[in-house]
Amino acid sequence: MKAAPFAYVRPGSLDDVLAELAGGDAKVLAGGQSLVPVLAMRLGRPATLVDIGSVASLGDLAVTDDVLRVGATVRQRRLERSDEARAVPLIGMVMPFVGHRELRSRGTVCGSIAHADPSAELPAVASCLGATIEVAGTGGRRRVPAAEFFAGAMTTAATAEEVVTGVEFPVARPGEGYGFGEIARRHGDFALAGVVTRVRVDDDGTVLDARLTGFGISDTPVTRDVTALLDDESGIRDLAADVVDTGGDTHGSTGYRRRLFTVLATRELQRARRNARKERP
């Protein structure tokens, strides 16, 4: 199937992008790795594609003020290979599992976040770390916490007339460790179930807090404080029953996904705790 006909524009400034979006039925095109398949299957039929690839101000990648800022046109492969990504170790753990290398060479970090696929890795990372997503519209810019950004499957807090201009990930603090695990049919596929974890310990190795985000298990990434569940597998199973609410499909039932979540969560919380203790002298 081919995409329905559409107009294509490539503005050179953010103001021009916003003017195009304000004109009606338009979609933002960055890397296109999520959007183009949607168009090809005619699940979306925008009248205009607004290519933001020529907006130089959206290509920033820098560590400032304790955050890693990733602009809207930064490709996933660029982030993966950058020195800046070392400030957020969880990104280095996750990026090799985001599609395939060829897809990451075209796909953008913000594009994946804006697409809001509930089985995608980067929205889960943003949720677990408490990232901030910046969006802009003709009324100005606003900053949206990740916890409020993902409103449903393929649905975000950004309106049709706004564009995601960047995401800010908090840099790692001393004593923080991370874990990541997912089960997919093949490497590079979207996850049947996955978790990202963050654990923080003090100088004595005592756990101060632990956080977990599950993905592929609901309409949005699901984040919970799991400090009390680090050594409680029974509690993790109860958590799985609470948070895994996606329906079964040909790839796995709800019960199967709950078992996957339980195994992954138990394993990756312990990995995060070990990594956190290594970060302490």
Side-chain angles (χ1 to χ4, degrees), residues 3 50 56 108 138 144 147 149 154 190 203-205 233 270 280:
V50 183
T108 62
T138 53
V144 184
F149 185 75
M154 317 293 186
F190 286 116
D203 291 340
D204 297 324
E233 188 170 339
Q270 295 306 320
R280 289 290 186 186

Side-chain angles (χ1 to χ4, degrees), residues 5-268:
F6 55 82
Y8 171 84
V9 294
R10 190 176 172 88
S13 72
L14 180 58
D15 287 342
D16 289 341
V17 169
L18 297 179
E20 294 288 349
L21 293 177
D25 184 13
K27 289 288 289 184
V28 172
L29 174 68
Q33 300 306 293
S34 298
L35 177 60
V36 170
V38 169
L39 300 180
M41 291 185 284
R42 299 204 174 192
L43 298 175
R45 301 186 181 196
T48 305
L49 287 190
V50 183
D51 188 340
I52 63 174
S54 291
V55 182
S57 63
L58 299 180
D60 53 329
L61 174 63
V63 177
T64 58
D65 298 331
D66 297 329
V67 298
L68 167 64
R69 179 176 172 79
V70 183
T73 59
V74 174
R75 302 196 188 280
Q76 295 159 5
R77 186 68 173 153
R78 179 185 168 195
L79 175 64
E80 181 180 4
R81 302 180 68 181
S82 70
D83 291 336
E84 288 84 355
R86 296 176 185 173
V88 186
L90 183 57
I91 286 180
M93 298 176 71
V94 170
M95 289 307 296
F97 294 87
V98 179
H100 302 282
R101 184 176 60 185
E102 292 77 7
L103 298 179
R104 297 195 299 275
S105 295
R106 294 295 304 172
T108 62
V109 177
C110 289
S112 178
I113 290 174
H115 189 59
D117 190 304
S119 296
E121 295 85 359
L122 289 174
V125 170
S127 297
C128 187
L129 295 180
T132 300
I133 294 95
E134 183 185 79
V135 299
T138 53
R141 299 193 182 208
R142 61 192 180 101
R143 296 164 56 81
V144 184
E148 301 173 11
F149 185 75
F150 302 105
M154 317 293 186
T155 306
T156 73
T159 70
E161 296 185 350
E162 291 179 316
V163 58
V164 173
T165 53
V167 57
E168 293 180 350
F169 298 98
V171 303
R173 294 177 292 176
E176 283 191 347
Y178 306 94
F180 165 79
E182 69 175 19
I183 300 295
R185 295 174 62 226
R186 297 167 298 190
H187 181 80
D189 282 4
F190 286 116
L192 296 176
V195 299
V196 290
T197 59
R198 186 191 68 184
V199 172
R200 187 165 61 95
V201 302
D202 65 13
D203 291 340
D204 297 324
T206 303
V207 174
L208 299 175
D209 59 70
R211 187 177 170 95
L212 176 150
T213 297
F215 60 100
I217 59 168
S218 185
D219 287 345
T220 64
V222 180
T223 301
R224 293 286 188 273
D225 183 331
V226 289
T227 310
L229 301 180
L230 268 174
D231 297 307
D232 183 0
E233 188 170 339
S234 174
I236 293 292
R237 283 196 295 271
D238 291 341
L239 178 65
D242 178 43
V243 301
V244 180
D245 65 359
T246 186
D249 54 30
T250 56
H251 304 304
S253 65
T254 302
Y256 176 62
R257 284 185 165 86
R258 285 174 176 164
R259 290 193 292 276
L260 293 181
F261 177 89
T262 299
V263 171
L264 292 169
T266 301
R267 185 184 75 192
E268 297 308 324

